[in-house]
Amino acid sequence: MREAPADYLEFAVARSGPLFRTACLLTGDWHLAEDLVQETLAKMYRSWRRISRAESPVAYANTVLVRTYVSQRRRRSSTERPSDRLPDAAGPAPDAELRMALLDGLARLTAKDRAVLVLRYWEDRSVEETAHVLKQSPGAVRTRSTRALRRLRTLLGTELADLTA
């Protein structure tokens, strides 16, 4: 087996943390997030020569992560069930209850709705960037964002209002 190029190793070490945080938000599960990041980095490694010459390997990695997540959600066996257990927090957060409520709400959305909300509002991407990653038109992203936010608000109901008041 050949050794990984130094620039790939440097990239993987630098991007693992941010990819993992995004994967945690997408999957809602620490272990699934680790698997998602690992699969993303493996895909990146297979094509590293081409990717490293691209304009933005970071954007490419984020795109691979989201597409792999959506693809996995489509393939998920009907016998698998998401867990209601959330990973241990790294440290106390001042708004832990709000965070937990939002994570729970995100977990109850469809994979595509969750992906749009995470990309648009957690990663603060533009409509155009989100559309590019998800292979959708900007109009479709705007519509899905609006509808996904409405669904999230409906799911959280008065719980969100109580936590933000």
Side-chain angles (χ1 to χ4, degrees), residues 21 25 38 41-42 47 49 71 79 81 88 97 104 107 111 115 117 120 152 154 163-165:
R21 284 188 291 278
L25 286 169
Q38 196 170 29
L41 291 174
S47 304
R49 281 190 177 158
S71 208
T79 61
R81 299 286 181 245
D88 294 332
E97 288 181 48
D104 180 53
L117 292 181
R120 285 283 293 126
L152 185 61
T154 301
L163 291 172
T164 57

Side-chain angles (χ1 to χ4, degrees), residues 52-93:
S52 64
R53 289 178 287 207
E55 189 172 314
S56 179
V58 171
Y60 191 93
N62 288 328
T63 300
V64 170
L65 179 86
V66 171
R67 288 182 181 164
T68 302
Y69 163 72
V70 170
S71 208
Q72 284 177 348
R73 292 294 296 201
R74 273 191 228 121
R75 288 188 314 242
R76 179 177 273 182
S77 167
S78 62
T79 61
E80 293 183 62
R81 299 286 181 245
S83 173
D84 61 347
R85 299 163 113 196
L86 294 173
D88 294 332

Side-chain angles (χ1 to χ4, degrees), residues 102 105-106 108-109 117 121 145-161:
L102 289 172
L106 277 174
R108 292 188 277 168
L109 293 174
L117 292 181
Y121 302 107
S145 295
T146 302
R147 291 177 181 166
L149 282 172
R150 189 178 319 126
R151 284 185 197 109
L152 185 61
R153 286 183 187 111
T154 301
L155 286 170
L156 296 175
T158 59
E159 182 180 356
L160 183 62

